[in-house]
């Protein structure tokens, strides 16, 4: 993160966030539909996983350090020209380097969305995790390469790699 900021890159934070009451969630979705049904029974104060306005739906305090960082929350409604893709296109960004915590969730979803929008994507392998090394290996070695490049650069190599991307 520090290296990206020093290089003058746009830093975009994206994550899962639902509106109160899970109103945009398809009730047939196996996981999120269940959250919607539970919430309908017990209310927002009791069932609010990744819900706007509750802990867990905000970007971790301290990551967004200055006005040049962009805090962007992507709702779980993947429409063409979604919020994140639109933001990147408006900034003329065509190549994105992705890092994050859950390869089998947020990373996979973001990579697929960005590729669907025509952006070139590189996943920084050293900066991605998951619940187990087996899941991480399966996602990084078998699924994500269908969509994106995967790199294992050190901080120095990351900056060298970034310099080859150009400004578009």
């Amino acid at each position: 993160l520090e290296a990206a900021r020093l290089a003058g890159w746009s830093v975009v934070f994206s994550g899962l966030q639902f509106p109160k009451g899970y109103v945009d969630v398809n009730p047939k979705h196996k996981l999120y539909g269940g959250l919607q049904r539970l919430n309908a029974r017990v209310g927002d104060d009791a069932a609010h996983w990744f819900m706007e306005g509750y802990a867990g739906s905000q970007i971790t305090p301290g990551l967004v350090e200055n006005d040049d960082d962009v805090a962007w929350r992507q709702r779980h409604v993947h429409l063409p020209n979604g919020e994140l893709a639109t933001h990147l296109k408006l900034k003329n960004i065509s190549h994105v380097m992705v890092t994050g915590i859950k390869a089998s969730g947020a990373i996979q979803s973001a990579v697929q969305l960005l590729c669907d929008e025509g952006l070139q994507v590189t996943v920084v392998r050293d900066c991605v995790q998951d619940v187990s090394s087996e899941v991480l290996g399966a996602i990084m070695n078998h699924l994500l390469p269908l969509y994106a490049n995967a790199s294992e650069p050190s901080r120095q190599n990351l900056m060298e790699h970034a310099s080859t991307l150009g400004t578009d």
Side-chain angles (χ1 to χ4, degrees):
L1 189 58
E2 179 185 344
R5 287 182 173 131
L6 289 172
W9 293 2
S10 292
V11 175
V12 179
F13 295 92
S14 177
L16 179 62
Q17 185 181 63
F18 296 105
K20 292 183 187 245
Y22 299 94
V23 295
D24 293 336
V25 173
N26 183 334
K28 294 180 181 179
H29 189 284
K30 189 171 182 175
L31 174 60
Y32 303 134
L35 290 176
Q36 183 189 51
R37 289 187 296 277
L38 176 62
N39 177 270
R41 280 191 235 140
V42 300
D44 290 348
D45 287 337
H48 50 258
W49 292 273
F50 302 106
M51 187 180 288
E52 182 177 22
Y54 289 89
S57 70
Q58 297 86 16
I59 294 170
T60 303
L63 289 180
V64 180
E65 292 181 351
N66 59 58
D67 293 337
D68 294 331
D69 288 346
V70 178
W72 202 264
R73 301 301 295 180
Q74 178 184 332
R75 295 195 185 277
H76 194 73
V77 180
H78 296 294
L79 302 173
N81 296 319
E83 295 171 357
L84 177 59
T86 300
H87 173 77
L88 295 172
K89 286 179 179 180
L90 288 172
K91 293 182 130 291
N92 293 320
I93 296 171
S94 62
H95 189 154
V96 179
M97 298 186 84
V98 177
T99 66
I101 295 173
K102 193 165 184 189
S104 60
I107 300 300
Q108 177 184 341
S109 176
V111 166
Q112 289 174 319
L113 174 71
L114 293 167
C115 288
D116 287 350
E117 293 293 333
L119 296 159
Q120 185 179 0
V121 179
T122 299
V123 178
V124 184
R125 186 181 298 265
D126 289 350
C127 299
V128 175
Q129 285 298 316
D130 211 299
V131 295
S132 72
S133 60
E134 291 82 13
V135 171
L136 179 61
I139 298 296
M140 293 300 298
N141 297 325
H142 301 289
L143 181 62
L144 292 183
L146 298 173
Y147 301 94
N149 297 317
S151 65
E152 294 187 43
S154 65
R155 181 176 173 176
Q156 179 61 36
N157 290 339
L158 179 61
M159 297 310 298
E160 290 170 7
H161 176 72
S163 69
T164 67
L165 300 179
T167 57
D168 62 338

